[in-house]
C-alpha cells in the first residue's frame, strides 16, 4: 500500500468510521460481528498479508462491533500476539482450519 501511495492509517480510520456509522444506535441486544477477510482466491491470489499487529489496537478498541472473525489459517496472518489488545467485552473467533487446500 505504501508503495502505491496509500495512507494505510487514514484508510483504516475511514473503514472504522464507515462501519461505526452503520452500527450506531443499534438495539442493545443486537450483536454485531465483522469478518476480517483477506481475500482468498484460486492459485493463492489474496488481498492482504501480514499480521494483525499494525491495526490491532485501533481496530479492536475503536471499531464498534462485538465480535471479530479473524483468519489465522495461513502464516501470512502472523501470530496471536495482537489478541492481547482485544478488550474484555469483545470476542475473537479464530479461523484456524483452512478451506484453501485439501490438506
Amino acid at each position: 500500500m505504501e508503495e502505491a501511495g496509500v495512507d494505510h492509517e487514514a484508510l483504516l480510520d475511514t473503514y472504522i468510521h464507515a462501519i461505526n456509522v452503520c452500527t450506531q444506535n443499534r438495539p442493545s441486544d443486537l450483536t454485531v460481528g465483522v469478518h476480517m477477510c483477506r481475500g482468498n482466491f484460486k492459485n493463492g491470489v489474496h488481498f492482504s498479508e501480514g499480521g494483525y499487529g499494525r491495526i490491532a489496537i485501533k481496530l479492536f478498541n475503536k471499531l464498534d462491533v462485538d465480535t471479530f472473525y479473524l483468519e489465522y489459517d495461513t502464516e501470512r496472518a502472523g501470530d496471536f500476539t495482537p489478541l492481547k489488545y482485544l478488550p474484555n467485552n469483545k470476542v475473537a473467533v479464530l479461523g484456524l482450519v483452512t478451506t484453501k487446500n485439501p490438506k
Side-chain angles (χ1 to χ4, degrees):
M1 289 176 56
E2 292 167 357
E3 291 176 10
V6 175
D7 180 346
H8 63 85
E9 286 292 329
L11 186 59
L12 179 60
D13 290 339
T14 298
Y15 291 157
I16 289 172
H17 176 73
I19 292 171
N20 286 350
V21 167
C22 295
T23 61
Q24 69 186 3
N25 301 319
R26 70 181 187 263
S28 61
D29 61 345
L30 177 64
T31 299
V32 176
V34 64
H35 170 73
M36 303 299 295
C37 186
R38 293 173 170 273
N40 301 299
F41 300 98
K42 287 185 177 182
N43 302 319
V45 176
H46 55 275
F47 293 132
S48 66
E49 58 185 62
Y52 294 101
R54 291 179 75 175
I55 63 172
I57 294 172
K58 185 179 286 186
L59 182 76
F60 293 156
N61 291 282
K62 300 288 185 184
L63 189 60
D64 185 21
V65 300
D66 306 293
T67 306
F68 294 90
Y69 297 93
L70 305 173
E71 294 185 7
Y72 268 105
D73 61 336
T74 65
E75 289 184 16
R76 65 186 159 111
D79 63 25
F80 299 119
T81 303
L83 296 174
K84 70 183 178 183
Y85 301 113
L86 187 73
N88 290 333
N89 65 332
K90 297 188 179 188
V91 174
V93 177
L94 307 182
L96 302 172
V97 178
T98 190
T99 60
K100 297 171 189 67
N101 60 54
K103 292 182 181 182

